[in-house]
Amino acid sequence: MMTTLVAARVSLSPSRVGAVINRNVGALRSGPAYWVVLISGFFEPLLYLLSIGVGVGALVGDLTVDGHTMSYAAFVAPAMLAVSAMSGALAETTFNFFFKLKYMKTFEAVLATPVRPFEIALGELVWAVVRGSVYTAIFLGFMVALGLSSVAGALAAFPATVLVGLAFGAVGMWVSTLMRGWQDFDLMGTGQFAMFLFSGTFSPVQNYPVGVEVLIQLTPLYHAVELVRGLCTGIVGPGLLVNAAYLVVMTVGGLWLASRRVEKMLCE
Amino acid sequence: MADQPLIHARGLVKRFGDFTAVAGIDLDVAPGEAFGFLGPNGAGKSSTMRMIGCVSTPTQGELRILGMDPVRDGTRIRARLGVCPQLDNLDPDLNVRENLTTYARYFGLSRAESRKRADELLEFVQLADRAEGKVEPLSGGMKRRLTIARAMVNDPDLVLLDEPTTGLDPQARHLVWERLFRLKQRGTTLVLTTHYMDEAEQLCDRLVVMDAGKIVAEGSPRSLIQTYSTAEVVELRFADGLDANADYAAKLDGIGERIDPLPDRILLYADDGDDAVSEVHRRGLAPASVLVRRSTLEDVFLQLTGRTLVD
Ligand SMILES: Nc1ncnc2c1ncn2[C@@H]1O[C@H](COP(=O)(O)OP(=O)(O)O)[C@@H](O)[C@H]1O
Ligand SMILES: [Mg+2]
């Protein structure tokens, strides 16, 4: 009984999830405005990498973390990669998702078909990560070209950036379903920026007082940065499994909560 | 199987918090029927349609759509429905044809099938020349026709149309009616809501009159008019109307079957309108204007609820 209930709840059709993705591919083709968003989302982390990683790095010199010495730019670059994966997915599952949910009534139209709320959430998430992965792939190309990562490191880090995209995309989607209006996005932007500055992006978290360090270790971008940096630099340890698990929980939890909210909002 | 109703409801209730939008209705819609919900704004028509469309869970009562349970088999039922919601929700990011092809994919049609179906339907709703164009510049009537086409992509067994022509100008309405009439002729089962009596009369084989969440009458447009009204109605307007209409009504007492003084006019229900008018003149009354017309569902609604349909 329980298993059939769970099966009914979870059973999903790949063709319907594909149809949700297909809609976004169609929309991308038709609007030039979309490309602007796409490009801006890519350049931001790249500019940070060049200005802070390379510029400030010239002043800071090399860095020693856990007994491994690396250039400051090589330390910052994986973090910027993780940020890029995060913001790429978030751009899609926050602004665009919210717009489709609240204003364009896209999902209302979709829910009149056999497609279920969970299939919408999954399709939108996959689309967001596909889109975000274009950024991260290009970004990894830059890193290899600038000598900030080995090819092996880049290949190992790429799947990790996909997981980062899934995790932030899913949670971002859930948060979007709770937004009352555009002003709430400012709040989210502030939170995102705070994480961006303090998640071990620009300096090792061990540099902070212990209390702050623990606090940072509870936030998601920290785990994203640790995982991506570990794989990029090849400094791997069991801690990476914890980071990955954290991101998996975000993905599953975010998707589940987002699809429940969509159902509650549109199918009352 | 053949005469199994497509929609079967008993004691169907929808509540939003403390508010009861649908207060226990019974329905049976047979295959091939064109069935209507006629009622003013807030009557609970859309709430009922959303339950039938399996996007809203009934609070109480029994509901079977295509012989299935909407809560358990929602996905399977929706696969066989076509839905035209009250407010158009076409996708402005897609062009006219893509609106149909994209939608078809949600029903599992292949890319090629979707394309073929879309082109047939664009032809059907007379939008083939707009296929590559954007949705935004389409007129209200064109958008409505596109939404109707979208509701047909899966070749549905049952089409739900929530106020298909509200807000359209008369010419656009007639175009929509004409297309819906063709669907009806092909044997498609249509369920529509409207607050226009002429729409209900044009399109519905059978309808229910809804008011405040309840069904107050049921039948064919003709039988409803026969039961609740007279063959003809005389509309009288007096120069000093407004406050004086109650007094005039008293003076008209006994003419026709029934007299209804409204703020702006007096309605005289009579099987022979001209006879009634002669009697009005015989009594020495001189109305500023006299109109004899056939009875409509509007009169039925007024008789049943004491209110007009569209204010
Ligand atoms: N989601 C909702 N939450 C609260 N009240 C609702 C909701 N949907 C409809 N209602 C109320 O239910 C009543 C019936 O609405 P509706 O079914 O849309 O009527 P109609 O389509 O006949 O105009 C209205 O008073 C409306 O305000
Ligand atoms: Mg309505």
Side-chain angles (χ1 to χ4, degrees), chain A residues 212-230:
Chain A
V212 177
E213 186 187 334
V214 170
L215 191 70
I216 290 172
Q217 285 174 349
L218 292 176
T219 63
L221 187 58
Y222 166 79
H223 294 276
V225 169
E226 285 294 301
L227 180 65
V228 173
R229 182 178 284 144

Side-chain angles (χ1 to χ4, degrees), chain A residues 15-16 19-20 22-23 26-27 29-31 34 104-106 108-116 266-268, chain B residues 14 16 50 53 55-57 75 78-79 83 89-94 98 102-103 105-108 111 134 150:
Chain A
S15 114
R16 292 197 293 261
V20 173
N22 174 64
R23 182 257 160 216
R29 277 200 312 246
S30 84
Y34 224 94
M104 264 166 57
K105 309 280 175 205
T106 314
E108 237 173 78
V110 178
L111 286 170
T113 75
V115 180
R116 298 157 177 222
L266 300 182
C267 304
E268 54 174 358
Chain B
K14 183 71 194 183
F16 298 105
R50 287 170 50 77
V55 288
S56 162
T57 314
T75 295
R78 289 194 302 270
V83 178
N89 51 20
L90 296 164
D91 198 325
D93 289 348
L94 304 173
E98 285 168 344
T102 305
Y103 214 70
R105 309 274 289 164
Y106 297 134
F107 290 92
R111 206 169 284 280
K134 291 212 169 297
R150 195 184 65 179

Side-chain angles (χ1 to χ4, degrees), chain A:
Chain A
M1 177 64 199
M2 198 57 206
T3 46
T4 52
L5 263 182
V6 170
R9 181 112 205 128
V10 174
S11 84
L12 58 93
S13 141
S15 114
R16 292 197 293 261
V17 175
V20 173
I21 299 169
N22 174 64
R23 182 257 160 216
N24 290 316
V25 176
L28 179 68
R29 277 200 312 246
S30 84
Y34 224 94
W35 289 101
V36 178
V37 182
L38 211 73
I39 287 168
S40 68
F42 166 71
F43 271 109
E44 213 172 274
L46 185 67
L47 292 178
Y48 275 107
L49 172 65
L50 295 177
S51 67
I52 297 180
V54 179
V56 177
L59 303 174
V60 177
D62 285 354
L63 210 64
T64 304
V65 185
D66 291 338
H68 299 270
T69 301
M70 62 186 87
S71 75
Y72 184 65
F75 175 80
V76 170
M80 291 305 106
L81 178 64
V83 167
S84 170
M86 168 181 83
S87 31
L90 275 181
E92 193 65 46
T93 65
T94 55
F95 293 104
N96 291 348
F97 185 88
F98 182 74
F99 195 69
K100 286 185 259 188
L101 180 70
K102 281 268 170 84
Y103 294 96
M104 264 166 57
K105 309 280 175 205
T106 314
F107 302 143
E108 237 173 78
V110 178
L111 286 170
T113 75
V115 180
R116 298 157 177 222
F118 186 78
E119 290 162 343
I120 292 182
L122 186 58
E124 290 290 325
L125 181 62
V126 169
W127 166 247
V129 173
V130 166
R131 186 193 133 167
S133 294
V134 176
Y135 299 163
T136 48
I138 299 173
F139 197 93
L140 275 166
F142 272 100
M143 282 173 62
V144 172
L146 294 173
L148 298 173
S149 166
S150 65
V151 173
L155 289 176
F158 184 70
T161 63
V162 171
L163 179 58
V164 172
L166 286 170
F168 280 94
V171 171
M173 191 184 293
W174 171 54
V175 173
S176 303
T177 63
L178 301 171
M179 297 272 168
R180 292 156 299 182
W182 295 110
Q183 69 282 357
D184 285 349
F185 279 98
D186 290 341
L187 220 66
M188 200 183 79
T190 308
Q192 214 178 314
F193 192 61
M195 282 199 298
F196 170 64
L197 292 178
F198 293 105
S199 299
T201 27
F202 297 109
S203 66
V205 284
Q206 292 82 3
N207 290 2
Y208 297 110
V210 176
V212 177
E213 186 187 334
V214 170
L215 191 70
I216 290 172
Q217 285 174 349
L218 292 176
T219 63
L221 187 58
Y222 166 79
H223 294 276
V225 169
E226 285 294 301
L227 180 65
V228 173
R229 182 178 284 144
L231 292 169
C232 264
T233 56
I235 309 171
V236 293
L240 295 191
L241 289 176
V242 176
N243 304 137
Y246 188 106
L247 297 172
V248 169
V249 170
M250 276 173 79
T251 306
V252 175
L255 260 183
W256 187 68
L257 290 168
S259 63
R260 275 212 356 185
R261 280 284 304 165
V262 167
E263 181 161 9
K264 227 177 143 82
M265 288 168 79
L266 300 182
C267 304
E268 54 174 358

Side-chain angles (χ1 to χ4, degrees), chain B residues 5-294:
Chain B
L6 297 188
I7 303 174
H8 170 83
R10 288 293 175 271
L12 188 60
V13 173
K14 183 71 194 183
R15 272 192 281 273
F16 298 105
D18 297 337
F19 181 79
T20 304
V22 180
I25 61 172
D26 299 344
L27 286 176
D28 281 293
V29 176
E33 250 191 315
F35 182 87
F37 291 91
L38 177 73
N41 276 327
K45 303 184 298 295
S46 294
S47 303
T48 306
M49 289 291 256
R50 287 170 50 77
M51 286 191 280
I52 297 172
C54 306
V55 288
S56 162
T57 314
T59 311
Q60 218 175 287
E62 186 189 339
L63 182 63
R64 311 279 300 172
I65 312 293
L66 308 169
M68 292 181 272
D69 173 3
V71 176
R72 235 192 32 228
D73 303 316
T75 295
R76 280 171 61 203
I77 298 171
R78 289 194 302 270
R80 293 167 56 191
L81 299 184
V83 178
C84 176
Q86 183 169 348
L87 298 174
D88 285 323
N89 51 20
L90 296 164
D91 198 325
D93 289 348
L94 304 173
N95 73 25
V96 169
R97 182 192 284 115
E98 285 168 344
N99 260 277
L100 302 185
T101 51
T102 305
Y103 214 70
R105 309 274 289 164
Y106 297 134
F107 290 92
L109 271 72
S110 73
R111 206 169 284 280
E113 284 168 336
S114 304
R115 173 73 191 225
K116 181 161 166 283
R117 191 86 186 117
D119 285 340
E120 282 166 14
L121 286 166
L122 287 176
E123 207 62 59
F124 175 65
V125 295
Q126 295 157 317
L127 287 172
D129 54 329
R130 306 296 287 253
E132 309 289 335
K134 291 212 169 297
V135 168
E136 213 43 63
L138 296 183
S139 71
M142 288 173 169
K143 283 185 181 154
R144 216 57 191 144
R145 267 148 46 207
L146 183 56
T147 309
I148 290 170
R150 195 184 65 179
M152 305 298 303
V153 287
N154 57 329
D155 196 10
D157 294 333
L158 174 61
V159 179
L160 307 175
L161 303 138
D162 198 352
E163 302 200 11
T165 67
T166 298
L168 302 187
D169 60 53
Q171 202 191 342
R173 293 179 72 199
H174 280 281
L175 258 173
V176 170
W177 284 352
E178 201 244 325
R179 292 297 108 178
L180 293 180
F181 197 75
R182 285 198 184 212
L183 285 182
K184 192 179 138 171
Q185 278 181 319
R186 290 184 191 174
T188 310
T189 311
L190 302 178
V191 173
L192 59 97
T193 76
T194 183
H195 54 233
Y196 297 120
M197 47 170 185
D198 49 347
E199 184 156 284
E201 287 184 31
Q202 289 260 349
L203 295 173
C204 300
D205 303 323
R206 196 161 62 88
L207 57 95
V208 291
V209 179
M210 244 184 129
D211 188 40
K214 291 204 173 69
I215 290 175
V216 291
E218 177 182 348
S220 69
R222 275 291 106 211
S223 76
L224 282 170
I225 291 166
Q226 273 161 18
T227 312
Y228 296 99
S229 189
T230 48
E232 295 190 324
V233 181
V234 182
E235 296 198 9
L236 302 173
R237 284 169 211 266
F238 289 93
D240 53 352
L242 297 182
D243 304 327
N245 276 352
D247 295 341
Y248 283 118
K251 289 180 188 155
L252 293 165
D253 191 37
I255 306 179
E257 311 263 311
R258 193 162 55 86
I259 297 168
D260 230 328
L262 300 180
D264 61 330
R265 65 208 138 115
I266 296 176
L267 301 182
L268 252 172
Y269 293 87
D271 284 322
D272 188 328
D274 292 331
D275 260 12
V277 175
S278 313
E279 179 59 23
V280 171
H281 289 299
R282 232 187 329 272
R283 291 193 186 182
L285 296 167
S289 81
V290 176
L291 171 72
V292 179
R293 59 168 174 82
R294 274 159 45 102

